[in-house]
Amino acid sequence: QSALTQPASVSGSPGQSITISCTGVRSDAGDYKYVSWYQHNPGKAPKLIIYDVSHRPSGVSPRFSGSKSGNTASLTISGLQAEDEADYYCGSATTSSTHVVFGGGTKLTVL
Amino acid sequence: EVQLVESGGGLVQPGGSLRLSCVASGFTLGDFPMHWVRQAPGKGLEWVSGINWNSVNIHYAESVKGRFTISRDNAKNTLYLQVNSLRPEDTAHYYCARKVGRAFDFRGQGTMVNVSS
């Protein structure tokens, strides 16, 4: 499985915007180019916050947005809040589940 | 409310076995492919295994192939993971998730497997 690479950590102050990158995403045709993002506080269930690159599930704050350019996907959190402090993972999974991989995770610290 | 409740974890010696369970409520398990994902202490999320709705298509990570077996009982709304020949590196929180399109929907707090002598 090809690897997805994320920065180990990012930080920002309340009210600021931050972006977390995820490199190694395939850009060819088919399912492989789709990325999802998860927010995780250890010991709790990871929470899906972005699917198919840029779509938000119902109930997820519009402060979370996703995009992709070439082989790099990005998660942007605007108007940072203390409650956003968590680990964030990108993931790529085909519909058939023949290809499933997660990035190494990024720890977000809200200063 | 959609819920997934994992159980069956515990402390086990290297070479031992456990059967993890994931009980679904608030939705029909048989309508979704289901997966297991784990997180070792201090590490990131690692996909372990997946099974489609009728158990015809099953996939495993290379690290667990031949040792772990995923199965499901849709009538009981339950997903299973039989973990055999456990190694210290299998120590992790194990989460089950339903697959929604190309993403995972996690709803449980996981069950901890600790492999140690």
Side-chain angles (χ1 to χ4, degrees):
Chain A
Q1 305 283 19
S2 55
L4 299 178
T5 303
Q6 300 179 233
S9 63
V10 297
S11 62
S13 299
Q16 287 185 331
S17 294
I18 63 95
T19 297
I20 299 172
S21 61
C22 173
T23 60
V25 180
R26 290 175 59 164
S27 57
D28 50 359
D31 282 346
Y32 293 90
K33 59 181 182 291
Y34 293 100
V35 172
S36 50
W37 289 92
Y38 305 87
Q39 178 190 61
H40 188 213
N41 286 296
K44 296 187 177 181
K47 178 183 178 183
L48 175 66
I49 54 174
I50 296 288
Y51 67 95
D52 287 358
V53 178
S54 60
H55 298 268
R56 274 188 312 275
S58 173
V60 172
S61 170
R63 296 186 300 106
F64 294 91
S65 62
S67 63
K68 180 172 169 286
S69 177
N71 293 329
T72 299
S74 298
L75 171 71
T76 297
I77 309 174
S78 58
L80 267 182
Q81 299 178 2
E83 68 198 45
D84 299 331
E85 192 163 282
D87 298 322
Y88 291 84
Y89 294 88
C90 60
S92 174
T94 55
T95 304
S96 64
S97 299
T98 53
H99 162 85
V100 182
V101 64
F102 290 99
T106 298
K107 182 174 182 59
L108 169 62
T109 300
V110 180
L111 302 171
Chain B
E1 181 188 2
V2 171
Q3 285 190 322
L4 295 169
V5 179
E6 302 95 337
S7 63
L11 175 62
V12 61
Q13 292 187 337
S17 298
L18 287 171
R19 190 193 199 197
L20 309 184
S21 298
C22 167
V23 178
S25 60
F27 70 101
T28 301
L29 188 82
D31 288 344
F32 294 88
M34 295 296 295
H35 291 252
W36 288 96
V37 174
R38 68 184 179 182
Q39 183 181 34
K43 303 290 186 181
L45 298 178
E46 179 190 15
W47 174 76
V48 173
S49 181
I51 184 170
N52 77 323
W53 72 276
N54 62 359
S55 305
V56 169
N57 293 312
I58 289 175
H59 305 282
Y60 298 99
E62 285 299 322
S63 57
V64 307
K65 202 172 286 186
R67 300 186 299 121
F68 290 11
T69 302
I70 191 171
S71 62
R72 63 192 297 161
D73 186 335
N74 291 336
K76 293 184 178 179
N77 257 10
T78 303
L79 174 73
Y80 302 100
L81 187 69
Q82 178 69 40
V83 296
N84 298 331
S85 303
L86 282 164
R87 305 166 179 169
E89 56 264 35
D90 295 318
T91 294
H93 249 102
Y94 285 72
Y95 299 94
C96 64
R98 61 179 186 171
K99 185 115 176 297
V100 184
R102 292 170 283 254
F104 296 99
D105 183 20
F106 299 85
R107 297 289 180 136
Q109 297 194 342
T111 186
M112 182 68 194
V113 173
N114 191 344
V115 185
S116 174
S117 53

